[in-house]
Amino acid sequence: MPDQRGFGLRYVFRGHLRLTTAMHIGGGRGTLSPTDSPVVRTPEGTPFIPGSSFKGAFRSIVEKLAPSAGLKSCGLIEDYPCVGAPGKTADAFRERRRGEDWKEQKLVKELEEPGRLCATCRLFGSQFTASKIQFHDLYLSGGDEAITQIRDGVAIDRDSEKAVDKRKYDFEVVPANYGFDMTIQLDEPAPEEVALTCIGISEYSSGFGQIGGKRSRGLGKCLLTDLEIFELDLKNPNIGGDERANRLRRYLLHQTLQEKMTRAGDPAAFMEEKISSLFAVTGKG
């Protein structure tokens, strides 16, 4: 049986995220843009999608769908039984940790108790645990420079449902049809965490994913295409020591994903298998 500690299981999901509507991710006022609300840009002035923005949108999708798949998800709801949610539950857990002077090993053991952390907090991280999933910044495919647009907006009084006088503003968007290179990395996941990642990716592959602000206006819709999935598994009990050593040697000596890791032959079949296994365990579907 291989050693279960340390590095041994990694997945990399790579694809092309194409905007099907315009997108706005605010970048503050520290730019030369004449608009009231410019988009975020690289130091060279090229619009991009911060990994943190993509993670937030991705997590929101997974948190909504996880309960339907039979998994618990606090969704950052206050006082949910998951200690990752803000409120009295998390405060009491923190007080216990301080009062009993837990070391790291004790904290890990406590967090492994059933029901302590919900499925999405285990995947995306919480105030007590690091995230198992990483979202790289998304840069324009092919190194192209996007031509942005300026759009007008007006503040609406929610009571009168009329435009507020002298409250017109404008904001910058990246137009539809621009594409960004996406990379998601998943380290040491449990089977249900791989399935949850596949559920999120499936939403973007189906065109239901969104990213950025002003989504109620139809902005930020996108479609994930050209998906590739790479795997490194050193913990599979069905492989022998020689094969495990060969996989690790290949990973350490080479540079590209194609050389370092094993590519899933059919990404759609891979995701179907992982998601189906989740329903088999939870009894849903």
Side-chain angles (χ1 to χ4, degrees):
M1 184 75 175
D3 187 356
Q4 297 300 306
R5 298 171 298 175
F7 176 70
L9 183 61
R10 170 171 291 173
Y11 294 95
V12 175
F13 301 83
R14 193 169 68 177
H16 181 79
L17 197 67
R18 182 177 63 82
L19 300 179
T20 55
T21 66
M23 176 193 71
H24 173 82
I25 298 179
R29 298 305 304 268
T31 72
L32 298 178
S33 175
T35 179
D36 296 320
S37 181
V39 297
V40 64
R41 298 174 181 270
T42 66
E44 294 74 29
T46 303
F48 76 107
I49 300 174
S52 57
S53 296
F54 188 35
K55 179 181 180 179
F58 195 97
R59 178 170 186 162
S60 178
I61 286 175
V62 172
E63 284 175 338
K64 291 177 182 177
L65 293 175
S68 300
L71 295 175
K72 293 183 178 180
S73 176
C74 72
L76 303 182
I77 301 171
E78 188 173 1
D79 285 338
Y80 192 88
C82 167
V83 298
K88 296 178 181 178
T89 303
D91 292 342
F93 187 80
R94 192 182 298 106
E95 286 300 317
R96 274 191 61 208
R97 179 187 180 188
R98 282 198 289 256
E100 299 174 13
D101 192 24
W102 293 353
K103 305 301 180 186
E104 187 67 23
Q105 187 175 3
K106 171 66 173 174
L107 175 61
V108 171
K109 185 176 180 180
E110 285 287 333
L111 291 174
E112 288 176 348
E113 289 291 321
R116 192 75 79 195
L117 280 172
C118 71
T120 50
C121 280
R122 288 187 179 277
L123 174 60
F124 293 98
S126 72
Q127 56 187 303
F128 301 108
T129 55
S131 173
K132 294 184 179 180
I133 189 168
Q134 301 175 31
F135 293 80
H136 296 195
D137 288 344
L138 289 77
Y139 297 104
L140 281 168
S141 301
D144 296 334
E145 291 188 9
I147 299 175
T148 60
Q149 299 173 342
I150 305 296
R151 295 193 177 184
D152 291 327
V154 63
I156 301 295
D157 184 292
R158 294 185 184 277
D159 294 326
S160 66
E161 299 182 354
K162 296 180 180 179
V164 179
D165 189 35
K166 298 181 180 180
R167 291 294 299 275
K168 181 180 177 298
Y169 63 94
D170 56 43
F171 58 93
E172 187 177 26
V173 299
V174 178
N177 294 320
Y178 279 103
F180 296 81
D181 294 325
M182 180 211 77
T183 300
I184 298 173
Q185 182 176 313
L186 187 58
D187 287 332
E188 307 300 329
E192 68 179 25
E193 293 156 0
V194 181
L196 283 175
T197 303
C198 290
I199 285 174
I201 288 174
S202 177
E203 282 291 277
Y204 281 93
S205 297
S206 302
F208 292 111
Q210 287 182 274
I211 192 167
K214 307 186 186 300
R215 299 184 204 178
S216 63
R217 302 182 179 200
L219 298 186
K221 291 184 178 296
C222 49
L223 178 67
L224 178 60
T225 63
D226 303 323
L227 179 66
E228 296 178 292
I229 303 174
F230 298 88
E231 177 186 22
L232 174 68
D233 187 356
L234 304 178
K235 292 187 174 181
N236 190 331
N238 297 320
I239 63 173
D242 289 343
E243 174 61 19
R244 189 171 300 109
N246 287 335
R247 291 184 183 185
L248 179 58
R249 184 181 301 110
R250 174 185 171 191
Y251 180 84
L252 295 175
L253 293 178
H254 293 289
Q255 302 299 318
T256 66
L257 282 177
Q258 292 88 338
E259 295 172 322
K260 295 169 75 70
M261 304 171 72
T262 301
R263 187 203 302 258
D266 183 352
F270 175 95
M271 293 200 299
E272 181 179 352
E273 176 191 349
K274 300 302 182 183
I275 295 174
S276 296
S277 67
L278 176 61
F279 284 103
V281 172
T282 62
K284 294 280 186 175

